Amino acid sequence: MDVVTHVITLYFLFFSRWVGMLVLYSIHKGHFDCAGGPLLQSYFIVLLVMLGAIICSMSAIVYVSMQGTISNPGPRKCMPKLVYIRMALYLPECAWAIMGAIWVSDNGVKCDKTLVHVILLTVIASWIIMLFTTIAVVFVFDPLGHKKALYYEREEDHNLESSQSEQLIYNFKKTATRVWETRIRLLCCCIGRDNDNRVAFSSIAELLTSYFADTDLVPSDIAAGLTLLHQEQDKVDLSRDPDEVVSQSPSHSGVDDLDVELDKAAHYMQFAAAAYGWPLYVYSNPLTGLCKLCGECCQNRRAQHDIVGGDHLNCHFGSILQTTGLQYRDFIHISFHNRIYEIPFFVALDHKTETILVAVRGTLSLEDVLTDLSADCENLHTDGVDGDCFSHKGICQAACYIYRRLINDGILNQAFTVAPEYKLVIVGHSLGAGTAAVLAVQLRSSFPTLKCYAFSPPGGLFSKALADYSKSFIISIIVGKDLVPRLSLPNMDDLKNRILRMVVNCNRPKYQILLHGCWYELFGGSPDDFPTELDSRNMASLTQPLLAEQTIMVQKSSSYSTLTDGCPLDSPRYPHLFLPGKVIHITEDSRSGWLCLSDVKYRAQWSTEASFSSIYISPRMLTDHMPDIVLGALRSLCQERGGCGPCQTPQHDLPTNRF
């Protein structure tokens, strides 16, 4: 359990509350000469003393937690006793909160109303803090801590019979999976528990068990590792030759092809963004978005269009009209139906490019997140492809759902009946990009001229054979340091190993790492030169090394593999999956100004999947994924180049350069 983070947060809450109550008691000290007043005064005094004791115990916990390093818990060996003392104070705190509620609600108390209200607020504050403390313990506490240690001790004991070892491993993994599944069910209590949901919960729990089973990290350890890794990566970037080419262009792709694809991508990104409906539209137009949607939301279009799902006020449809600039008659089918493995999409006629567009929505709901996390591999049989054909399970199932709707329900037949000479184009962003890519592979044999534009697609999507096959009809567009195109199970495993090496080999206390990391992330500056070597420390002082790093700590006394040492660490547990199609990487060329007033210049180049083979830590790793940022980057490139054609559509949808 991440005791330190939890205790430091509560420490400031309790200290502020204690100071406030002390001030209030000083102000109202002479107002307790009333019926029931002595009881309330006793409540106040005892509560102040109790809070003082709690603050002292928390101060001791905070002080002890600042000793040693992440991988050297020796100086913190008295921490369990301090935690037990704090837990012991939890019982009288609960009892006194109950007594305070009883006294405040007693009609026999005839004290000043202000005094009673002040004590009522203190009682309410006590219950709120205890409630959040209980919730934090339920979600953060790791009941497998002892079992993890036992598991690894037994794993190293070669005297155990193989049957005993296998049974131990099985029981450990089963318990860990059950714990993760319980956490997921609690977090997802607002959605249904049908068979698909239960299968998804179990699949995600097994994946998380496999990923975290060999580590003993808490959130603050991960945060410290990430900030160390970010600074290490920045130091590597600063040491590179400015003329070094990071992304290599495929030999078969020229500048003219790139310009044409950028023009088309800038146009089609409007439809990928429109699929998000009114939330993205209002987020991107905070001042005028709601006003523009009011007229559309009050009209009943359901009878005029094939609309499925929860858009009772037509706000989603209205935002799609505003974003794309299409007319009502241009839409063939719109689905806002959303469940696990079933995501919204719409089919429309784009007369400007003479295409039938299928736009798939990205992640916007809890059900979409569960679809993203269902990251096991699933077979995706494709005629004419040699080699293994498999894909991301959750995304593959979402694509199969849309495929059934398009083909079995006759939606595409209806569209081609209206416009038989048009070509089929599939677009999407994020989860929608991955789903669009899998859908394009499924429809390719029936529609040979099909094209797909995947904006910020997930990295762990296709096997190598499918990724190569898709290069002839799928274009992936990625902006900057976007995290999602770099996300895959091998990359996540590599990130975990790098974080472990960082936190194990750094000889600074965690609080120093986090404080400097916060300053560096907020205000920049030079990367700190924190030592990441063991500096000839006595290895025996590392009494409890991180579980996944035991072999590193035993075999390496003062060595550290930096990011320049070679390729990412091998990850045999997970098959390698790749980005779909050919990749266009858009990066910042220059930036001036600040935040909303910043002026960003971009450049684009063809890239390869090798450029996204590891996760890059950056403050922009999330913002570069946002659909309005992607659209803004594409439009900026078109305007700088004086693009023509699809790029010159009226810009009445989303603003650019919000960040």
Side-chain angles (χ1 to χ4, degrees):
M1 178 177 177
D2 198 351
V3 176
V4 179
T5 305
H6 178 66
V7 169
I8 290 177
T9 303
L10 289 179
Y11 175 83
F12 287 106
L13 288 176
F14 274 97
F15 186 77
S16 302
R17 181 184 170 201
W18 183 78
V19 171
M21 290 188 62
L22 188 62
V23 172
L24 290 173
Y25 179 76
S26 302
I27 294 174
H28 297 281
K29 184 169 57 175
H31 299 156
F32 290 101
D33 52 348
C34 55
L39 288 177
L40 296 182
Q41 187 176 23
S42 300
Y43 171 79
F44 239 123
I45 294 174
V46 173
L47 185 58
L48 283 172
V49 173
M50 190 182 304
L51 288 178
I54 292 173
I55 291 171
C56 289
S57 67
M58 288 183 171
S59 299
I61 292 175
V62 171
Y63 174 78
V64 172
S65 69
M66 295 168 64
Q67 308 306 307
T69 63
I70 296 176
S71 60
N72 180 19
R76 302 190 296 272
K77 60 184 179 181
C78 63
M79 180 67 78
K81 297 178 182 178
L82 295 175
V83 173
Y84 290 145
I85 293 173
R86 173 63 188 97
M87 291 176 63
L89 292 172
Y90 191 74
L91 295 177
E93 183 184 2
C94 292
W96 211 243
I98 295 173
M99 294 298 295
I102 295 174
W103 287 339
V104 169
S105 60
D106 186 3
N107 294 327
V109 177
K110 304 297 182 181
C111 293
D112 182 67
K113 294 290 185 181
T114 303
L115 179 61
V116 174
H117 289 160
V118 167
I119 296 180
L120 178 61
L121 289 176
T122 63
V123 172
I124 293 174
S126 297
W127 283 108
I128 291 175
I129 291 176
M130 287 189 293
L131 175 63
F132 279 102
T133 301
T134 303
I135 293 174
V137 169
V138 170
F139 279 98
V140 178
F141 177 70
D142 184 6
L144 299 173
H146 173 69
K147 293 183 179 180
K148 278 185 180 180
L150 180 63
Y151 165 65
Y152 281 97
E153 288 175 5
R154 296 290 181 84
E155 188 179 43
E156 293 179 353
D157 186 0
H158 301 292
N159 295 324
L160 278 177
E161 296 181 2
S162 65
S163 59
Q164 290 178 303
S165 178
E166 290 176 2
Q167 184 63 35
L168 179 64
I169 293 173
Y170 172 78
N171 291 337
F172 171 76
K173 290 184 176 180
K174 183 178 179 181
T175 304
T177 301
R178 186 165 59 249
V179 170
W180 277 110
E181 190 168 351
T182 301
R183 290 171 174 170
I184 295 171
R185 289 182 185 277
L186 289 174
L187 289 172
C188 304
C189 58
C190 58
I191 66 176
R193 294 190 178 183
D194 56 21
N195 186 59
D196 286 343
N197 293 357
R198 287 193 294 270
V199 171
F201 293 161
S202 299
S203 175
I204 296 170
E206 291 176 1
L207 178 66
L208 293 174
T209 298
S210 174
Y211 186 76
F212 290 108
D214 60 344
T215 62
D216 194 16
L217 294 177
V218 295
S220 59
D221 295 337
I222 297 174
L226 288 174
T227 189
L228 286 173
L229 183 58
H230 179 207
Q231 294 175 66
E232 182 75 9
Q233 289 174 333
D234 284 353
K235 284 189 285 187
V236 171
D237 287 343
L238 291 174
S239 65
R240 282 177 177 163
D241 186 345
D243 297 329
E244 181 181 353
V245 179
V246 178
S247 298
Q248 297 179 354
S249 302
S251 58
H252 60 270
S253 302
V255 176
D256 293 339
D257 292 338
L258 178 62
D259 292 343
V260 171
E261 296 297 351
L262 285 173
D263 285 339
K264 293 180 179 178
H267 176 71
Y268 292 133
M269 181 57 202
Q270 296 178 105
F271 298 90
Y276 283 96
W278 69 264
L280 178 63
Y281 185 80
V282 173
Y283 165 78
S284 303
N285 301 270
L287 299 179
T288 61
L290 288 175
C291 296
K292 291 181 178 179
L293 290 180
C294 284
E296 298 292 345
C297 293
C298 297
Q299 302 182 39
N300 183 15
R301 305 286 179 186
R302 188 173 297 275
Q304 304 175 29
H305 299 87
D306 187 9
I307 300 178
V308 178
D311 188 30
H312 304 294
L313 298 178
N314 289 296
C315 292
H316 284 306
F317 191 23
S319 67
I320 292 174
L321 292 172
Q322 291 286 339
T323 302
T324 62
L326 298 181
Q327 302 298 316
Y328 306 117
R329 62 180 180 274
D330 296 330
F331 289 88
I332 304 298
H333 180 85
I334 305 174
S335 173
F336 300 109
H337 171 75
N338 193 198
R339 291 179 56 197
I340 294 179
Y341 307 140
E342 299 176 3
I343 57 180
F345 69 98
F346 67 82
V347 180
L349 303 178
D350 181 21
H351 302 294
K352 187 175 186 62
T353 58
E354 296 186 345
T355 56
I356 295 173
L357 272 166
V358 179
V360 187
R361 196 190 77 181
T363 302
L364 193 63
S365 67
L366 187 57
E367 289 85 354
D368 298 335
V369 173
L370 294 174
T371 301
D372 288 321
L373 292 176
S374 299
D376 291 334
C377 290
E378 183 162 292
N379 288 328
L380 182 61
H381 177 71
T382 306
D383 294 333
V385 179
D386 296 328
D388 294 330
C389 295
F390 47 86
S391 179
H392 182 289
K393 176 183 175 181
I395 294 176
C396 188
Q397 294 199 17
C400 290
Y401 160 74
I402 298 179
Y403 178 87
R404 292 192 298 269
R405 296 293 311 278
L406 294 177
I407 301 301
N408 297 348
D409 294 353
I411 296 174
L412 282 184
N413 284 339
Q414 179 184 352
F416 279 103
T417 300
V418 176
E421 72 282 3
Y422 282 16
K423 295 182 179 180
L424 180 62
V425 173
I426 307 175
V427 301
H429 172 267
S430 189
L431 170 63
T435 306
V438 176
L439 183 62
V441 170
Q442 293 174 322
L443 292 172
R444 173 69 170 175
S445 59
S446 301
F447 302 92
T449 60
L450 171 150
K451 291 282 289 185
C452 173
Y453 289 85
F455 301 94
S456 307
L461 186 63
F462 282 156
S463 61
K464 181 61 175 176
L466 279 178
D468 292 339
Y469 168 73
S470 65
K471 292 183 185 296
S472 61
F473 57 94
I474 297 179
I475 301 293
S476 291
I477 295 91
I478 299 169
V479 174
K481 300 172 182 177
D482 188 353
L483 169 67
V484 174
R486 296 171 169 85
L487 278 182
S488 65
L489 291 179
N491 285 0
M492 289 296 295
D493 212 35
D494 172 60
L495 176 66
K496 178 182 68 175
N497 292 332
R498 291 180 184 275
I499 289 176
L500 285 169
R501 289 188 176 187
M502 283 285 183
V503 299
V504 165
N505 291 336
C506 185
N507 61 4
R508 294 293 184 90
K510 188 195 312 185
Y511 77 94
Q512 292 185 14
I513 299 173
L514 292 175
L515 287 177
H516 182 270
C518 291
W519 180 271
Y520 183 77
E521 300 297 340
L522 292 174
F523 304 106
S526 300
D528 199 349
D529 192 20
F530 276 149
T532 52
E533 308 291 340
L534 295 181
D535 295 340
S536 301
R537 287 182 294 162
N538 182 9
M539 293 301 298
S541 65
L542 301 179
T543 55
Q544 299 176 20
L546 298 175
L547 298 178
E549 286 297 294
Q550 289 184 3
T551 56
I552 294 177
M553 301 305 298
V554 171
Q555 298 171 6
K556 299 184 180 181
S557 60
S558 61
S559 61
Y560 170 68
S561 297
T562 64
L563 302 179
T564 59
D565 288 343
C567 299
L569 299 171
D570 292 334
S571 182
R573 291 191 297 175
Y574 310 113
H576 283 275
L577 298 179
F578 301 89
L579 287 164
K582 295 189 294 185
V583 179
I584 297 176
H585 192 196
I586 300 173
T587 56
E588 285 188 11
D589 204 16
S590 63
R591 174 183 288 266
S592 58
W594 193 63
L595 292 180
C596 297
L597 302 178
S598 62
D599 181 25
V600 184
K601 303 296 183 183
Y602 294 94
R603 61 187 177 91
Q605 58 188 348
W606 292 105
S607 186
T608 62
E609 59 267 16
S611 301
F612 307 93
S613 59
S614 61
I615 294 175
Y616 196 95
I617 308 301
S618 167
R620 299 192 59 82
M621 61 194 297
L622 297 179
T623 57
D624 280 345
H625 184 70
M626 294 298 292
D628 58 331
I629 298 296
V630 178
L631 181 60
L634 288 167
R635 284 181 170 169
S636 176
L637 284 169
C638 286
Q639 292 171 357
E640 290 173 13
R641 293 168 28 254
C644 56
C647 194
Q648 298 301 313
T649 54
Q651 298 184 13
H652 43 224
D653 43 8
L654 298 175
T656 61
N657 296 341
R658 283 181 57 89
F659 295 95

